[in-house]
Amino acid sequence: MPTSSAAGTTAPPAPSDTARQIPAAGALLVVGFVLLSLNTRVAFGQIGPLAPIAHFGSATVTVLGLLPPLCMGLFAPLAPMVRRRLGEERGLLWASVILVAGAILRMLGMPGLYAGTIVVSLATAVVNVLVPVFVRARFSHRHVGTMMGVYALSMGVGSAIVAALVAPVAQASGGSWQLAIGLAVVPAVLAAAGIAPQARVHRPRPATPATDAATPRRHVARTALAWSLTAFFGIQTLAFYTALAWLPSALIAAGTSRTAAGTCQAVLILGVAAGGFLAPVLAAPRNDQRPHILGTALVSAAGFAGLLLAPNGPSALWAAVLGIGLGAGQALPGVLYARRGTDHDHVAALSTMAQTCGYLIAATGPALAAGLHSATGSWTIPLAAVTAALLLGAALSMRAGHDPR
């Protein structure tokens, strides 16, 4: 993939990167990237399993579920400033250090839990934006899809492992939710340690807009490409957070046992990890990702439709289908930023806009679903509305899937 930058900037070295010159350094790069990826969603998967043991009220669970997407949308615009000042490597290191601080803060009572979740969300917003730029800069073109897949897969695995340990740790410690929440500190420290060696890599910092000479690029908000990317990411993420928040409740309301509903939630998370790995691997080598965008939306919609039309049927199967589609929808945007961006600055700008607007859209999903459920007394309308939104999103996202000739 070309790495030439906009006029007036110094083009960063092609991703001949350390990974291809020095095997040991390349292994260190991959290990650090995996450790960073494992940590990125850990804190957000703890509240659901912990709520019954810690006796969190519904308002607490709702607010702690709303804060991550809301804050990631609000704080995503900080990432370009971090990148211009520090570069991707040092920016990711400092974000990892802030993640550690946030994970520790979440252990300090209920005020700390709320404040720490905001801090973790801030750091995660920066990581989300910088990772596609980092991958494009540090890995060769043929490895971009694989590494974005590793990123998504690692996010799912890290979240699933810690979510599975939260309840046993809380029960073993006599109901101490603080100790269980503290599990997130371990992967946060590992992520900071893993990415630290990359901060020593010296690459030219991105030029600030004031130093860019020649022909300025149109602001991404004025391009159909950026809005198409935003539509895809925003609607897919809305569906993702809605499913995480309300899938067990919808299944239980349809007559599924609590145990089976919990199993379906676990299957959903495993499906998210699988879809998150497969989609970038399949999409990145292609010049046209429109079939992958459409396929992602259709698989996600099929999962919701299956749960809607046959809630007492093979619900675990439909949860797996839904998870694969939603996981693909979370990972595929990273490939689209890297493929559609003309240089590293453009990739960062596309990623920032899509995630700023997309997470703010996503934050409304669980609340809107709850409102529709309260108004209708059924989960049929909320699930049908999300399914329709996914299909609309696919139509709006076609521009993001290709470069016009």
Side-chain angles (χ1 to χ4, degrees):
M1 182 172 295
T3 57
S4 60
S5 50
T9 62
T10 303
S16 59
D17 44 71
T18 321
R20 286 191 287 179
Q21 296 176 9
I22 307 172
L28 196 62
L29 170 63
V30 172
V31 169
F33 181 72
V34 169
L35 289 173
L36 175 70
S37 304
L38 281 169
N39 180 59
T40 308
R41 293 293 187 276
V42 161
F44 305 150
Q46 293 180 300
I47 301 303
L50 192 58
I53 300 169
H55 304 294
F56 291 153
S58 59
T60 297
V61 175
T62 300
V63 172
L64 289 173
L66 176 66
L67 281 175
L70 179 62
C71 291
M72 284 191 285
L74 293 173
F75 293 134
L78 293 176
M81 292 185 284
V82 171
R83 178 173 172 262
R84 285 194 296 269
R85 188 170 184 84
L86 301 176
E88 292 91 44
E89 289 82 3
R90 291 175 63 196
L92 288 172
L93 173 59
W94 277 106
S96 297
V97 171
I98 294 171
L99 273 168
V100 174
I104 294 172
L105 183 58
R106 295 175 88 235
M107 300 171 63
L108 305 180
M110 290 305 298
L113 181 57
Y114 287 112
T117 298
I118 293 172
V119 172
V120 168
S121 300
L122 184 159
T124 304
V126 173
V127 172
N128 286 341
V129 173
L130 293 186
V131 159
V133 189
F134 177 80
V135 169
R136 174 168 166 162
R138 298 298 303 278
F139 295 94
S140 64
H141 166 65
R142 67 181 183 275
H143 292 144
V144 166
T146 300
M147 296 315 297
M148 290 307 301
V150 167
Y151 175 60
L153 177 63
S154 299
M155 281 195 297
V157 169
S159 180
I161 290 174
V162 173
L165 292 174
V166 161
V169 169
Q171 290 169 340
S173 61
S176 171
W177 64 264
Q178 288 92 338
L179 184 61
I181 283 287
L183 287 171
V185 175
V186 176
V189 170
L190 291 175
I195 205 67
Q198 304 311 316
R200 298 196 298 267
V201 174
H202 296 291
R203 291 192 299 114
R205 290 184 190 173
T208 61
T211 63
D212 276 342
T215 305
R217 180 191 290 122
R218 278 197 302 164
H219 192 282
V220 289
R222 297 182 178 180
T223 65
L225 170 61
W227 285 109
S228 183
L229 281 165
T230 298
F232 180 67
F233 179 79
I235 293 175
Q236 281 287 330
T237 306
L238 179 148
F240 176 74
Y241 279 97
T242 301
L244 282 184
W246 296 118
L247 176 63
S249 298
L251 291 173
I252 291 169
T256 304
S257 70
R258 291 182 179 275
T259 300
T263 300
C264 287
Q265 185 82 337
V267 170
L268 175 77
I269 293 172
L270 291 174
V272 167
F277 177 75
L278 290 173
V281 171
L282 294 175
R286 312 293 180 185
N287 292 322
D288 189 342
Q289 285 78 37
R290 285 175 293 184
H292 305 89
I293 290 174
L294 180 60
T296 294
L298 289 176
V299 171
S300 300
F304 276 116
L307 293 169
L308 177 65
L309 299 174
N312 295 316
S315 52
L317 172 62
W318 292 121
V321 172
L322 178 60
I324 290 170
L326 295 178
Q330 292 300 288
L332 187 55
V335 173
L336 299 178
Y337 307 145
R339 292 292 307 206
R340 301 287 88 81
T342 55
D343 54 56
H344 298 165
D345 291 336
H346 194 206
V347 172
L350 291 172
S351 178
T352 300
M353 177 175 162
Q355 293 189 53
T356 298
C357 299
Y359 276 120
L360 294 178
I361 292 169
T364 68
L368 289 175
L372 287 172
H373 175 256
S374 297
T376 63
S378 167
W379 285 105
T380 299
I381 298 300
L383 291 179
V386 174
T387 304
L390 285 165
L391 298 177
L392 174 63
L396 295 174
S397 305
M398 288 297 101
R399 170 62 186 87
H402 72 115
D403 294 311
R405 294 179 182 275

